[in-house]
């Protein structure tokens, strides 16, 4: 019901408003969608096995290898296609977890207030005070390499963003008369939180979600780049970028440029989508 | 009549509600006492900031912080509400005492269907199956003059008057013994005001609940209430049945209040008003709080606070003019 009301509100708004951001949203959505499709169909569309030698090392882009081969003779295109899976899985895992943890805690903290709120806020703010990447590095070192531990460290990085957002919104929504009215008819705290306050916050969450996803793609790539991410030979953009990077000085640009471009595109896709959603879902920001 | 029914429905004893703000303690309700019987309508009248809304909320123990009930008792049907646990109090809200708020535009959850507000309340208090609750909600909607087809509408699809009808249905859905209506018609236009008042009068006959009507409009009280309570600066200055009140108001403030109602038949008359401003509730004037604006003020009015006396049976007034 909630979901459908969000969708319908998006559709309703789209009918009336066609600014630049309207197109941004679609471009962003299209980019993200194509990456998702790429990940789902990776085994069917990738021309070679991403972890096996397919040709000579460092072959330049050609008809046979559209993006060339890397230092071990593996097809870069295939590695990029398969790398999409990893990056999307990590993003999905960390976004789901941080959403599921950050949102309820924020709701509880904002609604109940008092000492509990002060303690949780202090903790979350101190997490938030770290630059995301530094915190992610510290956590990734503790947890060791691997997809799950990367997801976990990113989860911790993004929990405070949901927390702050939801707490702030809960603080403002709970001042509404309808919350008082709900209490006046004897609604339980749980009911007030989940049926009266949360639904009024949900519309502002997709924005945070997509902007965080954009950020998570970058951070995940950065973790892999410095060797705290996925173990070789699994295809991963950040790791491949790192492996191709030394060749740049010898004018062999393709092993690092293509993974880098992919990171840029996916980040761009999430950001555009998020920015566009902000415009669509938040009527207060609309300028005429 | 059994002895149980003779007990007043609601009885306030020296209720004190203070707000602890940074500027000082705001004594919004200061030693208010009155009784009301079952099925009665009490009109609670006072100007803005006289503490009437706070009084209404304090009966349900819903005063927002930094407000607090600091003294006195609220007996409802013989139970002291101030002594109940938060959980017991929650069961009283809605079930025994309903509330209608001033602004119908914001008192419904914008993302919940209007019918679901009622269903949700019935299900959570009585644990009946949803279908039963939906049935009851539909018949309630009919009672308040809303077509049951509007059950699935969201609040923004209804007009202010219709939303206030929904609020009334919501306040009545558990058949409470008392409904507190905090300026239920202030946000509505005059025609709709009249309709809502008519509706409340009709529903009172059907449901037989007691009603506390908080308002700043004395004429509304004249129309629907049995008794009138006049609040001034956090205190109850007069409590009386409506007929004797409008025939001969006792307290100087009540007198001034009635005189300030514009009369269309005396069109060349200047609009009368009460000189001065309502006192601060942080540092209320010494003695009688009205003495600064009172035309009859004597020396002792500024020195000692007058006691509330029963002038006639059932007519209470807090003024030295009625103290022998």
């Amino acid at each position: 019901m909630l979901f459908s009301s969000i969708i319908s509100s998006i559709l309703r708004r789209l009918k009336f408003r066609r600014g630049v951001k309207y197109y941004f949203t679609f471009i962003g959505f299209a980019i993200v969608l194509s990456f998702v499709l790429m990940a789902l169909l990776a085994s069917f569309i990738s021309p070679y096995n991403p972890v096996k030698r397919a040709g000579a090392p460092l072959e330049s882009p050609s008809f046979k290898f559209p993006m060339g081969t890397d230092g071990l003779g593996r097809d870069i295109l295939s590695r990029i296609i398969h790398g999409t899976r990893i990056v999307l899985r990590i993003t999905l895992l960390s976004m789901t977890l941080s959403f599921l943890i950050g949102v309820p805690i924020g709701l509880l903290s904002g609604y109940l207030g008092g000492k509990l709120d002060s303690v949780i806020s202090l903790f979350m703010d101190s997490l938030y005070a770290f630059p995301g990447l530094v915190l992610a590095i510290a956590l990734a070192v503790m947890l060791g390499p691997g997809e799950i531990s990367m997801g976990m460290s990113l989860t911790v990085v993004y929990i405070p963003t949901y927390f702050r957002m939801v707490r702030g919104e809960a603080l403002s929504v709970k001042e509404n008369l309808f919350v008082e009215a709900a209490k006046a008819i004897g609604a339980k705290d749980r009911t007030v939180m989940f049926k009266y306050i949360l639904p009024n916050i949900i519309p502002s969450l997709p924005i945070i979600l997509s902007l965080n996803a954009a950020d998570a793609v970058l951070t995940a790539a950065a973790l892999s780049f410095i060797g705290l991410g996925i173990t070789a030979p699994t295809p991963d953009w950040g790791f491949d970028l790192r492996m191709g990077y030394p060749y740049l000085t010898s004018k062999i640009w393709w092993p690092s440029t293509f993974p880098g471009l992919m990171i840029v595109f996916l980040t761009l896709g999430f950001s555009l989508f998020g920015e566009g959603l902000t415009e669509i879902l938040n009527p207060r920001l609309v300028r005429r | 009549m059994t002895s149980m029914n003779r007990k007043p429905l609601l009885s306030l004893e020296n209720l004190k509600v203070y707000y602890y703000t940074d500027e000082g303690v705001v004594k919004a309700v200061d030693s208010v006492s009155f009784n009301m019987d079952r099925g009665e309508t009490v009109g609670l009248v006072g100007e803005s900031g006289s503490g009437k809304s706070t009084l209404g909320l304090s009966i349900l123990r819903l005063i927002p912080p930094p407000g607090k009930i600091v003294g006195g008792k609220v007996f409802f049907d013989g139970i002291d509400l101030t002594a109940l646990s938060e959980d017991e109090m929650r069961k009283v809200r809605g079930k025994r005492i309903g509330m209608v708020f001033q602004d119908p535009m914001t008192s419904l959850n914008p993302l919940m269907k209007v019918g679901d507000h009622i269903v949700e309340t019935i299900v959570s208090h009585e644990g009946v199956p949803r279908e039963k609750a939906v049935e009851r909600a539909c018949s309630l909607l009919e009672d308040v003059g809303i077509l049951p087809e509007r059950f699935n509408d969201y609040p923004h699809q209804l007009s202010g008057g219709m939303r206030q009808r929904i609020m009334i249905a919501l306040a009545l859905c558990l058949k409470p013994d008392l409904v507190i209506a905090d300026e239920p018609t202030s946000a509505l236009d005059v025609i709709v005001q009249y309709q809502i008042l008519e509706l409340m009068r009709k529903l009172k006959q059907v449901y037989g609940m007691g009603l506390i009507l908080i308002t700043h409009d004395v004429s509304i009280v004249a129309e629907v209430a049995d008794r009138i309570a006049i609040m001034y600066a956090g205190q109850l200055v007069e409590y009386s049945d409506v007929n004797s009140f409008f025939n001969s108001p006792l307290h100087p403030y009540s007198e001034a209040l009635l005189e300030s109602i514009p009369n269309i038949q005396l069109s060349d008359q200047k609009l009368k008003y009460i000189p001065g401003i309502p006192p601060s509730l942080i540092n209320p004037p010494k003695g009688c709080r009205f003495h600064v604006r009172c035309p009859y003020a004597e020396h002792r009015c500024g020195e000692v606070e007058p006691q509330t006396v029963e002038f006639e049976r059932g007519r209470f007034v807090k003024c030295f003019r009625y103290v022998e």
Side-chain angles (χ1 to χ4, degrees), chain A residues 1-2 5 12 176-189 191 195-197 199-201 203, chain B residues 57 60 62 90 93-94 97 99 101-103 106-112 117 120-121 124-125 154 167 170 174:
Chain A
M1 186 207 86
L2 255 179
S5 79
R12 212 175 327 120
N176 276 303
L177 189 57
F178 65 80
V179 172
E180 198 178 340
K183 287 185 193 159
I185 49 171
K188 299 187 183 81
D189 279 344
T191 317
K195 294 217 160 140
Y196 288 81
I197 295 182
N200 285 287
I201 295 176
Chain B
L57 285 176
L60 279 171
L62 280 175
R90 195 177 53 69
R93 293 180 195 134
I97 306 178
M99 178 115 193
F101 289 91
Q102 174 175 357
D103 184 5
T106 54
S107 46
L108 293 166
N109 181 353
L111 294 178
M112 199 187 257
H117 280 85
E120 190 66 45
T121 308
S124 87
H125 275 278
Y154 285 94
M167 283 308 288
L170 195 55
L174 301 166

Side-chain angles (χ1 to χ4, degrees), chain B residues 19-319:
Chain B
Y19 290 96
Y20 294 89
T21 66
D22 293 340
E23 285 89 51
V25 181
V26 179
K27 295 168 181 154
V29 174
D30 206 4
S31 287
V32 168
S33 308
F34 71 86
N35 290 338
M36 75 179 274
D37 291 330
R38 281 168 190 284
E40 247 186 353
T41 302
V42 173
L44 186 58
V45 181
E47 49 201 300
S48 307
S50 60
K52 54 192 195 302
S53 291
T54 300
L55 182 63
L57 285 176
S58 63
I59 295 170
L60 279 171
R61 286 195 13 210
L62 280 175
I63 313 146
K68 245 166 112 179
I69 297 180
V70 292
K73 291 192 159 62
V74 179
F75 286 103
F76 173 74
D77 206 8
I79 315 158
D80 181 7
L81 295 184
T82 58
L84 293 185
S85 72
E86 187 48 40
D87 205 44
E88 289 167 319
M89 193 60 221
R90 195 177 53 69
K91 286 173 188 148
V92 173
R93 293 180 195 134
K95 178 77 190 148
R96 308 289 317 272
I97 306 178
M99 178 115 193
V100 179
F101 289 91
Q102 174 175 357
D103 184 5
M105 306 314 266
T106 54
S107 46
L108 293 166
N109 181 353
L111 294 178
M112 199 187 257
K113 292 171 182 165
V114 290
D116 280 337
H117 280 85
I118 303 172
V119 169
E120 190 66 45
T121 308
I122 296 177
V123 170
S124 87
H125 275 278
E126 300 188 353
V128 296
R130 206 187 134 81
E131 304 77 62
K132 265 255 173 68
V134 170
E135 225 170 83
R136 270 171 65 184
C138 285
S139 83
L140 256 161
L141 288 182
E142 253 174 301
D143 281 354
V144 297
I146 301 273
L147 293 173
E149 288 97 279
R150 307 303 291 261
F151 184 95
N152 286 322
D153 281 2
Y154 285 94
H156 71 269
Q157 293 168 286
L158 303 182
S159 70
M162 288 162 98
R163 287 189 224 182
Q164 198 60 301
R165 287 168 190 266
I166 301 286
M167 283 308 288
I168 292 171
L170 195 55
L172 287 175
C173 68
L174 301 166
K175 300 198 166 54
D177 299 309
L178 175 65
V179 170
I180 301 169
D182 188 357
E183 308 211 20
T185 58
S186 301
L188 305 171
D189 64 66
V190 183
I191 305 280
V192 182
Q193 275 188 13
Y194 175 75
Q195 291 170 350
I196 294 288
L197 287 176
E198 270 306 301
L199 174 70
M200 289 176 78
R201 191 157 37 189
K202 194 189 95 195
L203 290 173
K204 247 183 63 77
Q205 279 162 9
V206 179
Y207 289 83
M209 77 285 185
L211 176 66
I212 295 182
L213 188 65
I214 300 172
T215 177
H216 53 247
D217 189 346
V218 189
S219 47
I220 287 178
V221 177
E223 217 160 304
V224 293
D226 305 312
R227 293 220 237 182
I228 185 164
I230 305 286
M231 273 193 92
Y232 184 78
Q235 295 183 326
L236 204 61
V237 293
E238 183 166 355
Y239 185 57
S240 165
D241 64 283
V242 166
N243 283 336
S244 354
F245 178 83
F246 284 99
N247 287 332
S248 60
L250 297 176
H251 198 279
Y253 176 64
S254 318
E255 212 173 273
L257 206 59
L258 288 187
E259 272 173 14
S260 62
I261 299 174
N263 189 334
I264 198 165
Q265 270 142 16
L266 305 167
S267 55
D268 55 339
Q269 197 187 29
K270 258 186 145 180
L271 207 56
K272 279 196 182 151
Y273 63 97
I274 307 174
I277 49 160
S280 139
L281 295 178
I282 295 179
N283 281 313
K286 219 177 146 203
C288 171
R289 292 187 179 177
F290 188 59
H291 83 267
V292 199
R293 302 166 78 185
C294 180
Y296 308 103
E298 306 164 22
H299 178 68
R300 58 174 173 171
C301 295
E303 295 294 323
V304 214
E305 194 180 316
Q307 291 301 304
T308 303
V309 291
E310 190 163 10
F311 174 71
E312 285 167 15
R313 205 180 129 68
R315 294 193 75 183
F316 298 88
V317 62
K318 191 182 177 72
C319 178

Side-chain angles (χ1 to χ4, degrees), chain A residues 79 221-222 224-225 236-248 253-261 263:
Chain A
R79 286 188 68 80
S224 300
F225 185 84
D236 177 76
W237 298 348
F239 185 71
D240 287 3
L241 179 65
R242 175 77 185 88
M243 296 317 282
Y245 159 77
Y247 303 116
L248 271 181
W253 52 274
W254 55 92
S256 57
T257 304
F258 288 115
L261 274 179
I263 296 169

Side-chain angles (χ1 to χ4, degrees), chain A residues 57-61 67-71 76 241 243-258:
Chain A
L58 302 175
E59 256 187 70
S60 59
M67 293 184 180
T69 60
D70 67 4
I76 291 177
L241 179 65
M243 296 317 282
Y245 159 77
Y247 303 116
L248 271 181
T249 43
S250 353
K251 296 204 169 132
I252 299 172
W253 52 274
W254 55 92
S256 57
T257 304
F258 288 115

